[in-house]
Coordinates of all heavy atoms in Angstrom, one line a residue:
M966 N 80.9 -79.9 25.4 CA 80.6 -78.5 25.0 C 81.8 -77.6 25.1 O 82.5 -77.5 26.2 CB 79.5 -77.9 25.9 CG 78.2 -78.5 25.7 SD 77.4 -78.0 24.2 CE 76.9 -76.3 24.6
P967 N 82.2 -76.9 24.0 CA 83.3 -76.0 24.1 C 82.9 -74.7 24.9 O 81.7 -74.4 25.0 CB 83.7 -75.6 22.7 CG 82.5 -75.9 21.9 CD 81.7 -77.0 22.7
M968 N 83.9 -74.1 25.5 CA 83.6 -72.8 26.2 C 83.1 -71.8 25.2 O 83.6 -71.7 24.1 CB 84.8 -72.3 26.9 CG 85.4 -73.2 27.9 SD 84.4 -73.3 29.4 CE 84.4 -71.5 29.8
P969 N 82.1 -71.0 25.6 CA 81.7 -69.9 24.7 C 82.8 -68.9 24.6 O 83.7 -68.8 25.5 CB 80.5 -69.3 25.4 CG 80.5 -69.8 26.8 CD 81.3 -71.0 26.9
S970 N 82.8 -68.1 23.5 CA 83.9 -67.2 23.3 C 83.7 -65.9 23.9 O 84.6 -65.1 24.0 CB 84.1 -67.0 21.8 OG 82.9 -66.6 21.2
Y971 N 82.6 -65.6 24.5 CA 82.4 -64.3 25.2 C 82.9 -64.5 26.6 O 83.0 -65.6 27.2 CB 80.9 -63.9 25.2 CG 79.9 -65.0 25.6 CD1 79.7 -65.2 27.0 CD2 79.3 -65.8 24.7 CE1 78.8 -66.1 27.4 CE2 78.4 -66.8 25.1 CZ 78.2 -66.9 26.5 OH 77.3 -67.9 26.9
P972 N 83.2 -63.4 27.3 CA 83.7 -63.5 28.7 C 82.6 -64.0 29.6 O 81.5 -63.7 29.5 CB 84.0 -62.0 29.1 CG 83.9 -61.2 27.8 CD 83.1 -62.0 26.8
I973 N 83.1 -64.9 30.5 CA 82.2 -65.5 31.5 C 82.4 -64.8 32.9 O 83.5 -64.7 33.3 CB 82.5 -67.0 31.6 CG1 82.4 -67.6 30.3 CG2 81.5 -67.6 32.6 CD1 83.0 -69.0 30.2
R974 N 81.3 -64.4 33.5 CA 81.4 -63.7 34.8 C 81.3 -64.7 35.9 O 80.7 -65.8 35.8 CB 80.4 -62.6 34.9 CG 80.4 -61.6 33.8 CD 80.3 -60.2 34.2 NE 80.6 -59.3 33.1 CZ 81.7 -58.6 32.9 NH1 82.6 -58.6 33.9 NH2 81.9 -57.9 31.9
C975 N 81.8 -64.3 37.0 CA 81.7 -65.0 38.3 C 80.3 -65.3 38.6 O 79.5 -64.4 38.5 CB 82.4 -64.2 39.4 SG 82.4 -64.9 41.0
Y976 N 80.0 -66.5 39.1 CA 78.6 -66.8 39.5 C 78.1 -66.1 40.8 O 76.9 -66.1 41.1 CB 78.5 -68.3 39.7 CG 78.1 -69.1 38.5 CD1 78.4 -68.6 37.2 CD2 77.6 -70.4 38.6 CE1 78.1 -69.4 36.1 CE2 77.3 -71.2 37.5 CZ 77.6 -70.7 36.2 OH 77.3 -71.4 35.2
S977 N 79.1 -65.7 41.6 CA 78.7 -65.2 42.9 C 77.9 -63.9 42.8 O 78.1 -63.1 42.0 CB 79.9 -64.9 43.8 OG 80.7 -66.0 43.9
R978 N 76.8 -63.9 43.7 CA 75.9 -62.8 43.6 C 76.6 -61.5 43.9 O 77.4 -61.4 44.9 CB 74.8 -63.0 44.6 CG 73.6 -62.1 44.4 CD 72.5 -62.5 45.4 NE 72.0 -63.9 45.1 CZ 71.3 -64.6 45.9 NH1 70.9 -64.0 47.0 NH2 70.9 -65.8 45.7
G979 N 76.4 -60.5 43.1 CA 77.0 -59.1 43.3 C 78.4 -59.0 42.8 O 79.0 -57.9 42.9
C980 N 79.0 -60.1 42.3 CA 80.4 -60.0 41.9 C 80.4 -59.8 40.4 O 79.7 -60.4 39.6 CB 81.1 -61.3 42.2 SG 82.8 -61.3 41.7
E981 N 81.2 -58.8 40.0 CA 81.3 -58.4 38.6 C 82.6 -58.9 37.9 O 82.8 -58.6 36.7 CB 81.3 -56.9 38.5 CG 80.0 -56.2 39.0 CD 78.8 -56.4 38.1 OE1 79.0 -56.0 36.9 OE2 77.8 -56.9 38.5
E982 N 83.4 -59.6 38.6 CA 84.6 -60.1 38.1 C 84.4 -61.2 37.0 O 83.4 -61.8 37.0 CB 85.5 -60.7 39.2 CG 85.9 -59.7 40.3 CD 86.7 -58.5 39.7 OE1 87.6 -58.8 38.9 OE2 86.4 -57.4 40.0
L983 N 85.4 -61.4 36.2 CA 85.4 -62.4 35.2 C 85.7 -63.8 35.9 O 86.6 -63.8 36.8 CB 86.4 -62.2 34.1 CG 86.1 -61.0 33.2 CD1 87.2 -60.9 32.1 CD2 84.8 -61.2 32.5
A984 N 85.1 -64.8 35.5 CA 85.4 -66.1 36.0 C 86.7 -66.6 35.5 O 87.0 -66.5 34.3 CB 84.3 -67.1 35.7
V985 N 87.5 -67.2 36.4 CA 88.8 -67.8 36.0 C 88.8 -69.3 36.3 O 89.6 -70.0 35.6 CB 89.9 -67.1 36.9 CG1 91.3 -67.7 36.6 CG2 89.9 -65.6 36.6
Y986 N 88.0 -69.7 37.2 CA 88.0 -71.1 37.6 C 86.6 -71.7 37.4 O 85.6 -71.0 37.5 CB 88.4 -71.3 39.0 CG 89.8 -70.8 39.3 CD1 90.0 -69.7 40.1 CD2 90.9 -71.4 38.8 CE1 91.2 -69.2 40.4 CE2 92.2 -71.0 39.0 CZ 92.3 -69.9 39.8 OH 93.6 -69.4 40.1
K987 N 86.6 -73.0 37.1 CA 85.3 -73.7 37.1 C 85.4 -74.8 38.2 O 86.4 -75.5 38.3 CB 85.2 -74.3 35.7 CG 84.2 -75.4 35.6 CD 83.9 -75.6 34.1 CE 83.4 -77.0 33.7 NZ 82.8 -76.9 32.4
I988 N 84.4 -74.9 39.0 CA 84.3 -75.9 40.0 C 83.3 -77.0 39.4 O 82.2 -76.7 39.2 CB 83.8 -75.4 41.3 CG1 84.8 -74.3 41.8 CG2 83.7 -76.5 42.4 CD1 84.4 -73.6 43.0
A989 N 83.9 -78.2 39.3 CA 83.1 -79.2 38.6 C 83.5 -80.6 39.2 O 84.6 -80.8 39.7 CB 83.3 -79.2 37.1
A990 N 82.5 -81.5 39.1 CA 82.8 -82.9 39.6 C 82.4 -83.9 38.5 O 81.5 -83.7 37.7 CB 81.9 -83.2 40.8
R991 N 83.2 -84.9 38.4 CA 83.0 -86.0 37.5 C 81.8 -86.8 37.9 O 81.8 -87.4 39.0 CB 84.2 -86.9 37.3 CG 85.1 -86.4 36.3 CD 86.3 -87.3 36.1 NE 87.4 -86.5 35.7 CZ 87.5 -85.9 34.6 NH1 86.6 -86.0 33.7 NH2 88.6 -85.1 34.3
W992 N 80.8 -86.9 37.0 CA 79.6 -87.7 37.3 C 79.6 -88.9 36.3 O 80.0 -88.7 35.1 CB 78.4 -86.9 37.1 CG 77.1 -87.6 37.1 CD1 76.3 -88.0 38.2 CD2 76.5 -88.2 36.0 NE1 75.3 -88.7 37.8 CE2 75.3 -88.9 36.4 CE3 76.8 -88.3 34.6 CZ2 74.5 -89.6 35.6 CZ3 75.9 -89.0 33.8 CH2 74.8 -89.6 34.3
S993 N 79.1 -90.0 36.7 CA 79.0 -91.1 35.8 C 77.8 -92.0 36.2 O 77.5 -92.2 37.4 CB 80.3 -92.0 35.7 OG 80.1 -93.1 34.9
D994 N 77.2 -92.6 35.2 CA 76.1 -93.6 35.5 C 76.6 -95.0 35.1 O 75.8 -95.9 35.0 CB 74.8 -93.2 34.8 CG 74.9 -93.3 33.3 OD1 76.0 -93.6 32.8 OD2 74.0 -93.0 32.6
G995 N 77.9 -95.1 34.9 CA 78.4 -96.4 34.6 C 78.6 -96.6 33.1 O 79.3 -97.4 32.6
V996 N 77.9 -95.8 32.3 CA 77.9 -95.8 30.8 C 78.5 -94.5 30.3 O 79.6 -94.6 29.6 CB 76.5 -96.0 30.2 CG1 76.6 -96.1 28.7 CG2 75.9 -97.3 30.8
T997 N 77.9 -93.4 30.6 CA 78.5 -92.2 30.2 C 79.1 -91.4 31.4 O 78.8 -91.7 32.5 CB 77.4 -91.3 29.6 OG1 76.3 -91.2 30.5 CG2 76.9 -91.8 28.2
Q998 N 79.9 -90.5 31.0 CA 80.6 -89.7 32.1 C 80.6 -88.3 31.6 O 80.8 -88.0 30.5 CB 82.0 -90.3 32.2 CG 82.9 -89.5 33.2 CD 84.3 -90.1 33.3 OE1 84.4 -91.3 33.6 NE2 85.3 -89.3 33.0
E999 N 80.4 -87.4 32.6 CA 80.5 -86.0 32.2 C 81.0 -85.2 33.4 O 81.0 -85.7 34.5 CB 79.1 -85.4 31.7 CG 78.0 -85.5 32.8 CD 76.7 -84.9 32.3 OE1 76.4 -85.1 31.1 OE2 76.1 -84.1 33.1
L1000 N 81.3 -84.0 33.1 CA 81.8 -83.0 34.2 C 80.6 -82.2 34.5 O 80.0 -81.5 33.7 CB 82.9 -82.2 33.6 CG 84.0 -81.7 34.5 CD1 84.6 -82.8 35.4 CD2 85.1 -81.1 33.7
K1001 N 80.1 -82.3 35.8 CA 79.0 -81.5 36.2 C 79.5 -80.2 36.8 O 80.3 -80.3 37.8 CB 78.3 -82.4 37.3 CG 77.0 -81.8 37.8 CD 76.3 -82.9 38.7 CE 75.4 -82.4 39.7 NZ 74.2 -81.7 39.1
T1002 N 79.1 -79.1 36.3 CA 79.6 -77.8 36.7 C 78.8 -77.3 37.9 O 77.6 -77.3 37.9 CB 79.5 -76.8 35.6 OG1 80.2 -77.3 34.5 CG2 80.0 -75.4 36.1
Y1003 N 79.5 -76.9 39.0 CA 78.9 -76.4 40.2 C 78.9 -74.8 40.2 O 78.0 -74.2 40.6 CB 79.5 -76.9 41.4 CG 79.1 -78.3 41.8 CD1 79.7 -79.4 41.3 CD2 77.9 -78.5 42.5 CE1 79.3 -80.7 41.6 CE2 77.4 -79.8 42.8 CZ 78.1 -80.9 42.3 OH 77.7 -82.1 42.6
A1004 N 80.1 -74.3 39.7 CA 80.2 -72.9 39.8 C 81.3 -72.4 38.8 O 82.3 -73.2 38.5 CB 80.6 -72.4 41.2
L1005 N 81.2 -71.2 38.4 CA 82.3 -70.5 37.7 C 82.6 -69.3 38.6 O 81.7 -68.6 39.0 CB 81.8 -70.0 36.3 CG 81.4 -71.1 35.4 CD1 80.7 -70.6 34.1 CD2 82.6 -72.0 34.9
T1006 N 83.9 -69.1 38.8 CA 84.2 -68.2 39.9 C 85.5 -67.4 39.6 O 86.4 -67.9 38.9 CB 84.3 -68.9 41.2 OG1 84.7 -68.0 42.2 CG2 85.4 -70.0 41.2
C1007 N 85.6 -66.2 40.2 CA 86.8 -65.4 40.1 C 87.7 -65.9 41.2 O 87.3 -66.5 42.2 CB 86.5 -63.9 40.2 SG 85.9 -63.4 41.8
P1008 N 89.0 -65.5 41.2 CA 89.9 -65.9 42.3 C 89.4 -65.5 43.7 O 89.6 -66.2 44.7 CB 91.2 -65.2 42.0 CG 91.2 -65.0 40.5 CD 89.7 -64.8 40.2
A1009 N 88.8 -64.3 43.8 CA 88.4 -63.8 45.1 C 87.3 -64.6 45.7 O 87.2 -64.7 46.9 CB 88.0 -62.3 45.0
C1010 N 86.4 -65.2 44.9 CA 85.3 -65.9 45.4 C 85.5 -67.4 45.4 O 84.6 -68.2 45.7 CB 84.0 -65.7 44.5 SG 83.5 -63.9 44.4
L1011 N 86.7 -67.8 45.0 CA 87.0 -69.3 44.8 C 86.8 -70.1 46.1 O 86.1 -71.1 46.1 CB 88.5 -69.4 44.3 CG 88.9 -70.9 44.2 CD1 88.1 -71.6 43.1 CD2 90.4 -71.0 43.8
A1012 N 87.3 -69.6 47.2 CA 87.2 -70.4 48.5 C 85.8 -70.6 48.9 O 85.4 -71.7 49.2 CB 88.0 -69.6 49.6
E1013 N 85.0 -69.6 48.8 CA 83.6 -69.7 49.2 C 82.8 -70.6 48.2 O 82.0 -71.4 48.6 CB 82.9 -68.2 49.2 CG 81.5 -68.2 49.5 CD 81.1 -68.7 50.9 OE1 82.0 -68.7 51.7 OE2 80.0 -69.1 51.1
S1014 N 83.1 -70.4 46.9 CA 82.4 -71.2 45.9 C 82.8 -72.7 46.0 O 81.9 -73.6 45.8 CB 82.8 -70.7 44.5 OG 82.2 -69.5 44.2
F1015 N 84.0 -72.9 46.3 CA 84.5 -74.3 46.4 C 83.8 -75.0 47.6 O 83.3 -76.1 47.6 CB 86.0 -74.3 46.6 CG 86.6 -75.7 46.6 CD1 86.4 -76.6 45.6 CD2 87.5 -76.0 47.6 CE1 87.0 -77.8 45.6 CE2 88.1 -77.3 47.6 CZ 87.9 -78.2 46.6
R1016 N 83.7 -74.2 48.7 CA 83.1 -74.8 49.9 C 81.6 -75.1 49.7 O 81.1 -76.1 50.0 CB 83.2 -73.7 51.1 CG 83.1 -74.3 52.5 CD 83.2 -73.1 53.5 NE 82.3 -72.1 53.3 CZ 81.0 -72.1 53.6 NH1 80.5 -73.2 54.2 NH2 80.2 -71.1 53.4
T1017 N 80.9 -74.1 49.0 CA 79.5 -74.3 48.7 C 79.3 -75.5 47.8 O 78.3 -76.3 47.9 CB 78.9 -73.0 48.0 OG1 79.3 -71.9 48.8 CG2 77.4 -73.1 48.0
S1018 N 80.2 -75.6 46.8 CA 80.0 -76.7 45.8 C 80.2 -78.1 46.5 O 79.5 -79.0 46.1 CB 81.1 -76.5 44.7 OG 80.9 -75.3 44.0
R1019 N 81.2 -78.1 47.4 CA 81.4 -79.4 48.1 C 80.2 -79.8 48.9 O 79.8 -80.9 49.0 CB 82.7 -79.3 49.0 CG 83.9 -79.3 48.1 CD 85.2 -79.3 49.0 NE 85.3 -80.5 49.8 CZ 85.9 -81.6 49.3 NH1 86.4 -81.6 48.1 NH2 86.0 -82.7 50.1
A1020 N 79.6 -78.8 49.6 CA 78.4 -79.0 50.4 C 77.2 -79.5 49.5 O 76.5 -80.4 49.9 CB 78.0 -77.7 51.1
K1021 N 77.1 -78.9 48.3 CA 76.0 -79.3 47.4 C 76.3 -80.8 46.9 O 75.4 -81.5 46.8 CB 76.1 -78.4 46.1 CG 75.2 -77.2 46.3 CD 75.1 -76.6 44.9 CE 74.9 -75.1 45.0 NZ 75.3 -74.4 43.8
Q1022 N 77.5 -81.1 46.6 CA 77.9 -82.4 46.1 C 77.6 -83.4 47.2 O 77.1 -84.5 46.9 CB 79.4 -82.4 45.7 CG 79.8 -83.7 45.0 CD 80.3 -84.8 46.0 OE1 80.6 -84.4 47.2 NE2 80.4 -86.0 45.6
A1023 N 77.9 -83.1 48.4 CA 77.7 -84.0 49.5 C 76.2 -84.3 49.8 O 75.9 -85.4 50.2 CB 78.4 -83.5 50.8
A1024 N 75.4 -83.3 49.4 CA 74.0 -83.4 49.7 C 73.2 -84.1 48.5 O 72.0 -84.3 48.5 CB 73.4 -82.0 50.0
C1025 N 74.0 -84.3 47.4 CA 73.4 -84.8 46.2 C 73.0 -86.2 46.3 O 73.7 -87.1 46.8 CB 74.4 -84.6 45.0 SG 73.7 -85.1 43.4
R1026 N 71.7 -86.5 45.9 CA 71.3 -87.9 46.0 C 71.5 -88.6 44.6 O 71.1 -88.1 43.6 CB 69.8 -87.9 46.4 CG 69.5 -87.3 47.7 CD 68.1 -87.2 48.0 NE 67.5 -88.5 48.2 CZ 66.5 -88.8 49.0 NH1 66.0 -87.8 49.7 NH2 66.0 -90.0 49.1
L1027 N 72.1 -89.8 44.7 CA 72.4 -90.5 43.4 C 71.5 -91.7 43.2 O 71.1 -92.3 44.2 CB 73.8 -90.9 43.5 CG 74.9 -89.8 43.5 CD1 76.3 -90.4 43.8 CD2 74.9 -89.0 42.3
A1028 N 71.2 -91.9 42.0 CA 70.4 -93.1 41.7 C 71.4 -94.3 41.7 O 72.6 -94.1 41.7 CB 69.9 -93.0 40.3
P1029 N 70.9 -95.5 41.9 CA 71.8 -96.7 41.9 C 72.6 -96.8 40.6 O 72.1 -96.5 39.5 CB 70.8 -97.9 41.9 CG 69.5 -97.4 42.4 CD 69.5 -95.9 42.0
G1030 N 73.9 -97.0 40.8 CA 74.8 -97.1 39.7 C 75.5 -95.8 39.3 O 76.4 -95.7 38.5
E1031 N 75.0 -94.7 39.9 CA 75.6 -93.4 39.6 C 76.7 -93.1 40.6 O 76.7 -93.5 41.7 CB 74.6 -92.3 39.8 CG 73.6 -92.1 38.6 CD 72.7 -90.9 38.8 OE1 72.5 -90.5 39.9 OE2 72.2 -90.4 37.8
T1032 N 77.8 -92.5 40.1 CA 78.8 -92.0 40.9 C 79.1 -90.5 40.7 O 78.9 -90.0 39.6 CB 80.2 -92.8 40.7 OG1 80.4 -92.7 39.3 CG2 80.1 -94.2 41.1
L1033 N 79.4 -89.8 41.7 CA 79.7 -88.4 41.6 C 80.9 -88.1 42.5 O 80.9 -88.3 43.7 CB 78.5 -87.6 42.1 CG 78.6 -86.1 42.0 CD1 78.8 -85.6 40.6 CD2 77.4 -85.4 42.6
E1034 N 82.0 -87.7 41.9 CA 83.2 -87.4 42.7 C 83.1 -86.1 43.4 O 82.3 -85.3 43.1 CB 84.4 -87.4 41.8 CG 84.8 -88.8 41.2 CD 86.0 -88.7 40.2 OE1 86.6 -87.7 40.1 OE2 86.2 -89.8 39.6
S1035 N 84.0 -85.8 44.3 CA 84.1 -84.5 45.0 C 84.5 -83.5 44.0 O 85.3 -83.7 43.1 CB 85.2 -84.5 46.1 OG 84.7 -85.1 47.2
P1036 N 83.9 -82.3 44.1 CA 84.2 -81.2 43.1 C 85.7 -80.9 43.1 O 86.3 -80.8 44.1 CB 83.3 -80.1 43.6 CG 82.3 -80.6 44.4 CD 82.9 -81.8 45.1
G1037 N 86.2 -80.6 41.9 CA 87.5 -80.1 41.8 C 87.6 -78.8 41.1 O 86.5 -78.3 40.7
I1038 N 88.7 -78.1 41.2 CA 88.9 -76.8 40.6 C 89.6 -76.9 39.2 O 90.7 -77.5 39.2 CB 89.7 -75.9 41.5 CG1 88.9 -75.8 42.9 CG2 90.0 -74.5 40.9 CD1 89.8 -75.1 44.0
Y1039 N 89.0 -76.4 38.2 CA 89.6 -76.4 36.9 C 89.9 -75.0 36.4 O 89.1 -74.1 36.7 CB 88.7 -77.1 35.9 CG 88.5 -78.6 36.2 CD1 87.5 -79.0 37.2 CD2 89.2 -79.6 35.6 CE1 87.4 -80.3 37.5 CE2 89.1 -80.9 35.9 CZ 88.1 -81.3 36.9 OH 87.9 -82.6 37.2
E1040 N 90.9 -74.8 35.7 CA 91.2 -73.5 35.1 C 90.4 -73.3 33.8 O 90.5 -74.2 32.9 CB 92.7 -73.4 34.8 CG 93.4 -72.3 35.6 CD 94.9 -72.4 35.3 OE1 95.3 -72.3 34.1 OE2 95.7 -72.5 36.3
L1041 N 89.7 -72.2 33.7 CA 88.9 -72.0 32.5 C 89.9 -71.6 31.4 O 90.8 -70.8 31.6 CB 87.9 -70.9 32.8 CG 86.7 -71.2 33.5 CD1 85.8 -69.9 33.7 CD2 85.9 -72.2 32.8
A1042 N 89.6 -72.1 30.3 CA 90.4 -71.7 29.1 C 89.5 -71.6 27.9 O 88.7 -72.5 27.7 CB 91.5 -72.6 28.8
R1043 N 89.5 -70.5 27.3 CA 88.6 -70.2 26.2 C 88.8 -71.2 25.0 O 90.0 -71.5 24.7 CB 88.8 -68.8 25.7 CG 87.6 -68.3 24.9 CD 87.7 -66.8 24.7 NE 87.6 -66.1 25.9 CZ 87.8 -64.8 26.0 NH1 88.1 -64.1 24.9 NH2 87.7 -64.2 27.2
G1044 N 87.7 -71.8 24.5 CA 87.9 -72.7 23.4 C 88.3 -74.1 23.7 O 88.4 -74.9 22.8
R1045 N 88.5 -74.4 25.0 CA 88.9 -75.7 25.4 C 87.7 -76.6 25.8 O 86.8 -76.1 26.4 CB 89.9 -75.7 26.5 CG 91.2 -75.4 26.1 CD 92.2 -75.9 27.1 NE 93.4 -75.2 27.0 CZ 94.4 -75.3 28.0 NH1 94.2 -76.1 29.0 NH2 95.5 -74.6 27.9
H1046 N 87.7 -77.8 25.5 CA 86.7 -78.7 25.9 C 87.0 -79.2 27.3 O 88.1 -79.2 27.8 CB 86.6 -79.9 25.0 CG 86.2 -79.5 23.6 ND1 84.9 -79.7 23.1 CD2 86.8 -78.9 22.6 CE1 84.8 -79.3 21.9 NE2 86.0 -78.8 21.5
D1047 N 85.9 -79.7 28.0 CA 86.1 -80.1 29.4 C 87.3 -81.0 29.7 O 88.0 -80.8 30.6 CB 84.8 -80.8 29.9 CG 83.8 -79.7 30.3 OD1 84.2 -78.5 30.4 OD2 82.6 -80.1 30.5
P1048 N 87.5 -82.1 28.9 CA 88.6 -83.0 29.2 C 89.9 -82.4 29.1 O 90.9 -83.0 29.6 CB 88.4 -84.1 28.2 CG 87.1 -84.0 27.6 CD 86.7 -82.5 27.7
E1049 N 90.0 -81.2 28.5 CA 91.3 -80.6 28.3 C 91.6 -79.5 29.4 O 92.7 -78.9 29.4 CB 91.4 -79.9 26.9 CG 91.2 -80.8 25.8 CD 90.8 -80.2 24.5 OE1 90.6 -78.9 24.5 OE2 90.7 -80.9 23.5
L1050 N 90.6 -79.3 30.2 CA 90.9 -78.3 31.3 C 91.9 -78.7 32.3 O 91.9 -79.9 32.7 CB 89.5 -77.9 32.0 CG 88.5 -77.3 31.1 CD1 87.2 -77.0 32.0 CD2 89.0 -76.0 30.5
L1051 N 92.7 -77.8 32.7 CA 93.7 -78.1 33.7 C 93.1 -78.1 35.1 O 92.5 -77.2 35.5 CB 94.8 -77.0 33.6 CG 96.0 -77.2 34.5 CD1 96.8 -78.4 34.2 CD2 96.9 -75.9 34.5
R1052 N 93.3 -79.2 35.8 CA 92.8 -79.3 37.1 C 93.8 -78.8 38.1 O 95.0 -79.1 38.1 CB 92.5 -80.8 37.5 CG 91.8 -80.9 38.8 CD 91.1 -82.2 39.0 NE 90.5 -82.2 40.4 CZ 89.8 -83.2 40.8 NH1 89.6 -84.3 40.1 NH2 89.3 -83.1 42.1
R1053 N 93.4 -77.9 39.1 CA 94.3 -77.3 40.0 C 94.2 -78.0 41.4 O 93.6 -77.5 42.3 CB 94.0 -75.8 40.1 CG 94.2 -75.1 38.8 CD 95.7 -75.0 38.5 NE 96.5 -74.5 39.6 CZ 96.8 -73.2 39.7 NH1 96.3 -72.3 38.9 NH2 97.5 -72.7 40.7
T1054 N 94.7 -79.2 41.5 CA 94.7 -79.9 42.7 C 95.5 -79.2 43.8 O 95.2 -79.3 45.0 CB 95.2 -81.3 42.6 OG1 96.5 -81.3 41.8 CG2 94.3 -82.2 41.8
D1055 N 96.5 -78.4 43.4 CA 97.2 -77.6 44.4 C 96.3 -76.6 45.2 O 96.3 -76.5 46.4 CB 98.4 -76.9 43.8 CG 97.9 -76.0 42.6 OD1 97.0 -76.4 41.9 OD2 98.6 -74.9 42.4
L1056 N 95.4 -76.0 44.4 CA 94.5 -75.0 45.0 C 93.4 -75.8 45.8 O 93.0 -75.3 46.9 CB 93.7 -74.2 43.9 CG 94.5 -73.2 43.2 CD1 93.7 -72.6 42.1 CD2 94.9 -72.1 44.1
E1057 N 93.0 -76.9 45.4 CA 92.0 -77.7 46.1 C 92.6 -78.1 47.5 O 91.9 -77.9 48.5 CB 91.7 -79.0 45.4 CG 90.9 -78.8 44.1 CD 90.8 -80.0 43.2 OE1 90.9 -81.1 43.8 OE2 90.7 -79.9 42.0
Q1058 N 93.8 -78.5 47.5 CA 94.4 -78.9 48.7 C 94.6 -77.8 49.7 O 94.3 -77.9 50.9 CB 95.8 -79.6 48.5 CG 95.6 -81.1 48.4 CD 96.6 -81.8 47.5 OE1 97.7 -81.3 47.3 NE2 96.3 -83.0 47.0
Q1059 N 95.0 -76.6 49.1 CA 95.2 -75.4 49.9 C 93.9 -75.1 50.6 O 93.8 -74.8 51.8 CB 95.5 -74.3 49.0 CG 96.9 -73.7 49.2 CD 97.1 -72.6 48.1 OE1 96.3 -71.7 47.9 NE2 98.2 -72.7 47.4
L1060 N 92.8 -75.1 49.8 CA 91.5 -74.7 50.4 C 90.9 -75.7 51.4 O 90.2 -75.4 52.3 CB 90.5 -74.5 49.2 CG 90.8 -73.3 48.3 CD1 89.9 -73.3 47.1 CD2 90.7 -72.0 49.1
L1061 N 91.3 -77.0 51.2 CA 90.8 -78.0 52.1 C 91.5 -77.9 53.4 O 91.0 -78.4 54.4 CB 91.0 -79.4 51.5 CG 90.1 -79.7 50.3 CD1 90.4 -81.1 49.7 CD2 88.6 -79.7 50.7
Q1062 N 92.7 -77.4 53.4 CA 93.4 -77.3 54.7 C 93.0 -76.1 55.5 O 93.4 -76.0 56.7 CB 94.9 -77.2 54.3 CG 95.5 -78.6 54.1 CD 96.8 -78.5 53.3 OE1 97.4 -77.4 53.2 NE2 97.3 -79.6 52.8
T1063 N 92.3 -75.1 54.9 CA 92.0 -73.9 55.7 C 90.6 -74.0 56.3 O 89.8 -74.8 55.9 CB 92.1 -72.6 54.8 OG1 91.3 -72.8 53.6 CG2 93.5 -72.4 54.4
Ligands
LIG1307 ZN1 83.6 -63.4 42.2

């Protein structure tokens, strides 16, 4: 699915900022693979959203044969498809260390 062309707002409750990052994890059932979105977030809410997304992922129950990676941080870019999104492993590492 391409990103919609209208502005996307941060998922955090009460936050009016535009989303800049997408927190998503690769899911696969062995046949198909997709990016499962956990949150869209502005820079200010990133740390909290990332923490919550990791907790959700860890609590997720998988069917036999399914795999779900730890959520990663992707830079949102208008008009880009999921496989083209830039992954910010530098930010992930920063947040995991704090
Ligand atoms: Zn926010």
Side-chain angles (χ1 to χ4, degrees):
M966 290 287 285
M968 297 289 303
S970 56
Y971 52 83
I973 304 162
R974 305 226 170 250
C975 178
Y976 272 21
S977 300
R978 195 173 300 166
C980 182
E981 298 283 308
E982 297 298 314
L983 290 181
V985 176
Y986 302 109
K987 164 161 152 162
I988 300 172
R991 273 184 211 291
W992 169 92
S993 175
D994 62 0
V996 182
T997 53
Q998 175 177 302
E999 64 176 43
L1000 213 48
K1001 184 172 156 62
T1002 301
Y1003 282 92
L1005 297 169
T1006 180
C1007 71
C1010 301
L1011 179 64
E1013 177 64 21
S1014 289
F1015 187 51
R1016 204 179 55 77
T1017 314
S1018 299
R1019 288 182 66 88
K1021 271 192 213 158
Q1022 186 271 345
C1025 183
R1026 298 173 68 146
L1027 296 172
E1031 283 185 336
T1032 52
L1033 182 64
E1034 291 178 9
S1035 277
I1038 298 169
Y1039 295 83
E1040 243 174 55
L1041 282 178
R1043 200 167 294 176
R1045 280 204 207 167
H1046 294 259
D1047 279 348
E1049 298 161 0
L1050 293 181
L1051 179 68
R1052 186 164 178 178
R1053 295 294 304 271
T1054 46
D1055 56 325
L1056 287 176
E1057 292 169 25
Q1058 267 153 24
Q1059 247 176 51
L1060 292 173
L1061 289 175
Q1062 278 162 13
T1063 54

